Amino acid sequence: MTENKIPVGPFHPLLEEAEYFELKVEGEMVVDIDMEIGWMHRGHEFISESKAFTQSIYLVERICGICSTSHPLACVHAIEDIDNIEIPMRARYIRTLIGELERVHSHLLWLGLAGHFIGYDTLWMWAWKYREPVLEMFEAISGNRNHYGMMRVGGVAKDVESEKIPHLLQILDEIDRKMEMIAKAAHDDPVLKSRLKGVGVLKKADAIAYCAVGPTARASGLAIDVRKDEPSDAYDLVDFNIVVLPNGDVYDKLVVRLLEIIESNKIIRQCLEQLKTVPGPILNNVKEITPGEGIGRYEAPRGEVFHYIKSDGTNRPVRHKVRAPSYVNIPTFMASCKGIPVADALITLAAVDPCYCCTERALRVVNAGSEHLDLLALSRAKTEQLRREIYGK
Amino acid sequence: MKASIGWLLFAILIFPGLFFTGVLGLIVGWLDRKVSARVQYRVGPPFSQNFNDFFKLLGKETIIVRNGIHSLFVIAPLVALGSTVLIATLVGITLFQWLGVANDFGDLIVIMYLMMVFSVMVILGGSASGNVYSSLGAGREIKLLLADELAFILVCLVAVIKAGYTFRLDAILATQQAQGMFIASPSGAIAFIVGLLCLQAKMTLPPFHISEAETEIVEGPLMEYSGPLLGFWKLSQAMLWVALPFLLIALFLGGFTVEGYGILWSLLKYVGIVVVMILIKNTNPRIRIDTALHFFWKILTPLAFLATILAVLGV
């Protein structure tokens, strides 16, 4: 059997963003996989170093449209870490509330996309329909459906007024009912099970070797979760479990996410109940940041997001480093995508819920500056060459 | 009664051939999209959407890739359209008894042959484009053809046996009009269900849209097609929405009556089959090609075989 190369990307219906995977196949079997990241570089770290801390928070919110509160949360954790800034109790609950709501909507978004990728468009539309009330809750709390702009150094930007809470709890009840239904449906669905069970297995040893994080690691039996391991905000004040499943296949990744949604709903309910009574300010006014370094971690829906910030005492970071969860989850394909059919490999690619534009931070330029390129001249030469190829003169 | 050349041309081009089947197929395509949309809590496209799509494709540029076999690439969709028109004509002439002029055209072997021609053209067209996704899709189409063909032939055989070992569609219909629909018997019912799933595979609808798998191999064999050629593919696929359910109705549901309230009953049979197919389509994810082979060879083909034996025994 001859070896063929199937390019997946940079533009492919499987990928919402530009990314390149090269599957080496024999017939339908994938024998090797190569990946190339670096198509989506946007220079967030560099821009952040020219902005004030307050502005940086809004900037990192734009790293990802889906986990748009995980990055700012990790960023404010990093800044607060420099000076050990205290956060008011009410702000801690609001932060956790927003973070968990985001997890629910992100997991539902993934569920829908996964349905689409395995050709199950009904699941896609239903999952996204049930995601809508979550966005309504966001709108009621922050005024925005995405990019909530809630995080501040030392607290949050906006309070959750107590008169809104009964309404929010009402929406939450509705979401809870739907989620239990969807979790049960997906759990019992023989068609989904037969399609996803045993597909793209990531063994526990491989998950450790490739440093997998988030649901990808937890579906392989690796019990890591920043919310439990290093609780910040209100995570040590609320009661929840982390979901760990042993098999490491796509089906387990699906179930982990579904059960996490239910756990997240538990946290949201506790936060809302607490917010009825917990008094206090929501923002600790921080005047300046002293020189120093700080790291911030947060369990984003896809896994641990990590921010490092170095301050020199001015109002802007000297160095701001971001590591998104997909950056460590994408290499696990080396272990999970080999020796399985193309149809399985592609859903495995999607099963870690990769977020490419979050991932890409650095771009290595080889021989930069050694050659002077005139873009206009290059473009003209290319046009001329094409013209000659087409018209032959 | 013998038909003249003029009548034959009318049958192939207007009714029940190209024009009738094409228009009905695009309307049913709309029904498919609308019902799917309602199942998925969407609004769905307006009635004229499929017609707009088709005519727009006719006006678009045809791009022919450099590293492919050009003649085959162009011929494949045309032959596929031709074979679909012929299937529709043969089935339609028998079903509608062709407005009383003649009804002795439908030969089941020819119809099965033409259906295979369509699949082979998908394979050839896909292989001729020199694209890696297309060749992968063509490979999958071959496997799918191997999977569903035997089951479908056995299904047809059940009707043939029950009609007294004749391959002629009009004889099969006449037997049913005399003795009642074949679906009423156990063998007929089993064969009908297997046949319905075979149609799903023949039309590459979910869960058997393995060869076109948009999110894997980007429409597979059709990937490099554009403009009118793509339009012809889409038109033939739409026409299959008419021709194949009609065939199933002729084989097991006793055909159409076109008098009085019989029209409603006929319509109900057709729309019923179409809606069941749409619902199967919307409640299943795409299965893997090896799962499809297992499904057809280990479950459906034995079932169809059982139905054949039952039919021989006269049950």
Side-chain angles (χ1 to χ4, degrees):
Chain A
M1 188 95 62
T2 51
E3 213 178 74
N4 248 327
K5 283 178 188 161
I6 299 183
V8 180
F11 301 101
H12 188 281
L14 184 77
L15 314 165
E16 312 89 86
E17 303 154 42
E19 196 71 12
Y20 185 71
F21 298 100
E22 193 177 77
L23 306 179
K24 291 192 185 70
V25 294
E26 279 174 10
E28 284 264 339
M29 281 294 171
V30 178
V31 289
D32 201 3
I33 180 169
D34 195 11
M35 49 211 121
E36 202 175 280
I37 62 173
W39 300 80
M40 297 286 291
H41 180 59
R42 292 180 297 167
H44 270 115
E45 289 178 5
F46 179 74
I47 301 170
S48 172
E49 283 153 23
S50 63
K51 300 251 183 228
F53 285 115
T54 333
Q55 294 170 311
S56 283
I57 298 167
Y58 291 102
L59 180 76
V60 295
E61 192 160 2
R62 268 79 188 160
I63 288 179
C64 180
I66 303 166
C67 36
S68 67
T69 220
S70 300
H71 282 287
L73 198 46
C75 179
V76 294
H77 282 164
I79 300 170
E80 284 155 4
D81 187 41
I82 299 174
D83 277 344
N84 292 323
I85 295 163
E86 277 292 314
I87 313 146
M89 191 53 95
R90 195 171 171 82
R92 286 168 70 178
Y93 278 112
I94 296 177
R95 280 185 180 184
T96 302
L97 170 70
I98 297 285
E100 290 308 309
L101 273 174
E102 179 191 81
R103 193 179 319 278
V104 175
H105 105 78
S106 172
H107 283 351
L108 279 175
L109 186 119
W110 175 82
L111 181 65
L113 286 177
H116 176 53
F117 295 150
I118 56 171
Y120 197 175
D121 285 359
T122 309
L123 178 65
W124 175 24
M125 292 295 163
W126 283 42
W128 283 25
K129 175 185 153 66
Y130 294 144
R131 175 173 167 258
E132 204 64 11
V134 186
L135 299 185
E136 271 169 33
M137 278 180 90
F138 271 128
E139 197 174 1
I141 293 171
S142 71
N144 296 320
R145 285 158 59 89
N146 278 305
H147 294 310
Y148 328 107
M150 290 287 278
M151 299 306 152
R152 286 272 203 285
V153 179
V156 291
K158 212 164 174 292
D159 197 7
V160 180
E161 293 99 352
S162 12
E163 56 264 33
K164 271 186 196 161
I165 290 175
H167 174 58
L168 292 175
L169 279 170
Q170 213 178 337
I171 304 180
L172 189 67
D173 284 338
E174 187 193 331
I175 298 173
D176 248 350
R177 263 202 309 281
K178 300 273 172 57
M179 284 314 109
E180 253 154 45
M181 188 196 87
I182 245 185
K184 199 168 167 299
H187 207 270
D188 298 340
D189 192 341
V191 195
L192 269 185
K193 214 176 242 179
S194 71
R195 179 69 184 86
L196 300 177
K197 197 101 187 149
V199 166
V201 176
L202 179 69
K203 293 193 199 77
K204 188 174 180 181
D206 288 328
I208 295 172
Y210 285 101
C211 305
V213 291
T216 311
R218 290 196 285 275
S220 299
L222 204 59
I224 51 166
D225 192 325
V226 178
R227 295 177 294 170
K228 276 278 189 223
D229 302 341
E230 197 181 85
S232 56
D233 303 324
Y235 283 113
D236 45 357
L237 304 171
V238 291
D239 168 44
F240 70 102
N241 303 317
I242 62 170
V243 184
V244 183
L245 290 179
N247 297 324
D249 52 5
V250 177
Y251 183 71
D252 271 14
K253 289 182 181 125
L254 171 91
V255 176
V256 160
R257 292 202 171 88
L258 287 173
L259 296 179
E260 268 185 19
I261 292 177
I262 292 172
E263 289 299 318
S264 290
N265 279 350
K266 258 165 67 184
I267 302 178
I268 295 166
R269 188 173 300 280
Q270 292 172 51
C271 286
L272 282 173
E273 294 294 346
Q274 289 293 328
L275 282 173
K276 280 181 183 168
T277 50
V278 172
I282 52 161
L283 187 59
N284 214 341
N285 218 348
V286 181
K287 290 291 180 203
E288 58 175 4
I289 307 289
T290 54
E293 295 172 306
I295 59 165
R297 301 163 75 193
Y298 179 67
E299 183 75 15
R302 287 159 188 74
E304 177 195 339
V305 50
F306 173 92
H307 278 236
Y308 164 84
I309 283 183
K310 186 177 179 187
S311 153
D312 62 351
T314 59
N315 67 341
R316 43 186 76 172
V318 186
R319 178 79 182 95
H320 187 174
K321 162 87 186 121
V322 180
R323 198 206 66 182
S326 297
Y327 187 73
V328 284
N329 281 340
I330 287 174
T332 62
F333 299 151
M334 295 297 283
S336 58
C337 284
K338 285 182 192 167
I340 54 177
V342 177
D344 284 354
L346 292 181
I347 178 64
T348 311
L349 290 186
V352 306
D353 198 0
C355 190
Y356 304 114
C357 64
C358 305
T359 304
E360 295 173 2
R361 210 85 311 111
L363 200 63
R364 190 167 64 110
V365 183
V366 183
N367 289 339
S370 66
E371 193 183 357
H372 180 73
L373 291 176
D374 185 353
L375 271 182
L376 191 62
L378 271 180
S379 160
R380 280 181 183 150
K382 182 78 185 286
T383 316
E384 179 61 24
Q385 182 204 338
L386 283 176
R387 197 185 62 77
R388 249 183 273 120
E389 272 178 25
I390 292 167
Y391 298 104
K393 55 188 173 189
Chain B
M1 194 166 138
K2 284 285 166 209
S4 66
I5 296 288
W7 270 114
L8 269 181
L9 275 179
F10 176 77
I12 291 174
L13 294 179
I14 311 287
F15 183 87
L18 181 63
F19 180 77
F20 170 74
T21 318
V23 170
L24 188 60
L26 290 176
I27 292 173
V28 172
W30 168 80
L31 188 74
D32 164 33
R33 292 170 74 168
K34 194 77 180 173
V35 173
S36 301
R38 297 315 299 171
V39 169
Q40 298 171 0
Y41 294 110
R42 291 186 285 118
V43 178
F47 183 73
S48 61
Q49 189 60 53
N50 279 4
F51 294 93
N52 296 350
D53 290 350
F54 177 66
F55 286 116
K56 191 172 180 184
L57 278 177
L58 287 188
K60 291 280 179 189
E61 184 189 4
T62 303
I63 298 164
I64 294 181
V65 279
R66 199 175 293 168
N67 55 346
I69 308 166
H70 297 179
S71 50
L72 204 56
F73 185 76
V74 176
I75 287 170
L78 300 176
V79 175
L81 183 66
S83 65
T84 325
V85 170
L86 284 182
I87 299 171
T89 314
L90 288 176
V91 178
I93 282 178
T94 320
L95 262 187
F96 296 107
Q97 290 157 7
W98 201 26
L99 312 175
V101 176
N103 62 354
D104 51 354
F105 281 91
D107 186 299
L108 212 44
I109 291 185
V110 176
I111 291 171
M112 288 194 286
Y113 166 78
L114 286 170
M115 282 169 71
M116 208 186 291
V117 167
F118 180 82
S119 299
V120 169
M121 282 306 134
V122 173
I123 294 163
L124 288 182
S127 324
S129 66
N131 182 302
V132 61
Y133 295 119
S134 297
S135 56
L136 204 65
R140 288 180 176 191
E141 181 77 26
I142 295 174
K143 288 174 195 157
L144 198 60
L145 185 65
L146 287 177
D148 64 25
E149 196 58 27
L150 182 61
F152 188 72
I153 290 174
L154 285 174
V155 164
C156 293
L157 215 54
V158 171
V160 168
I161 293 168
K162 289 184 87 68
Y165 297 92
T166 169
F167 278 96
R168 290 174 48 143
L169 264 187
D170 53 324
I172 291 173
L173 269 180
T175 317
Q176 291 189 70
Q177 267 149 19
Q179 307 171 356
M181 299 179 205
F182 287 160
I183 195 179
S185 64
S187 58
I190 297 175
F192 177 77
I193 293 168
V194 175
L196 200 64
L197 288 167
C198 287
L199 289 202
Q200 206 89 4
K202 292 242 172 248
M203 292 165 63
T204 56
L205 295 176
F208 304 109
H209 55 322
I210 309 165
S211 61
E212 289 184 3
E214 186 206 338
T215 47
E216 285 170 29
I217 50 172
V218 210
E219 291 284 312
L222 306 191
M223 187 188 186
E224 292 289 354
Y225 279 99
S226 55
L229 291 181
L230 182 63
F232 291 144
W233 276 124
K234 293 286 172 195
L235 184 66
S236 359
Q237 283 177 343
M239 288 169 72
L240 287 182
W241 270 109
V242 177
L244 298 190
F246 273 16
L247 179 63
L248 217 53
I249 288 171
L251 289 180
F252 295 105
L253 293 182
F256 286 156
T257 28
V258 281
E259 286 144 12
Y261 287 114
I263 294 179
L264 279 181
W265 178 225
S266 311
L267 206 64
L268 194 71
K269 285 177 190 168
Y270 177 56
V271 174
I273 288 187
V274 166
V275 168
V276 168
M277 290 175 79
I278 296 172
L279 289 182
I280 296 177
K281 176 187 158 187
N282 275 303
T283 45
N284 284 290
R286 176 173 53 241
I287 58 178
R288 262 197 325 263
I289 187 71
D290 53 323
T291 325
L293 276 167
H294 280 277
F295 182 62
F296 274 105
W297 280 97
K298 292 195 174 154
I299 300 174
L300 289 191
T301 309
L303 264 181
F305 201 65
L306 178 75
T308 321
I309 293 171
L310 285 179
V312 173
L313 296 176
V315 189

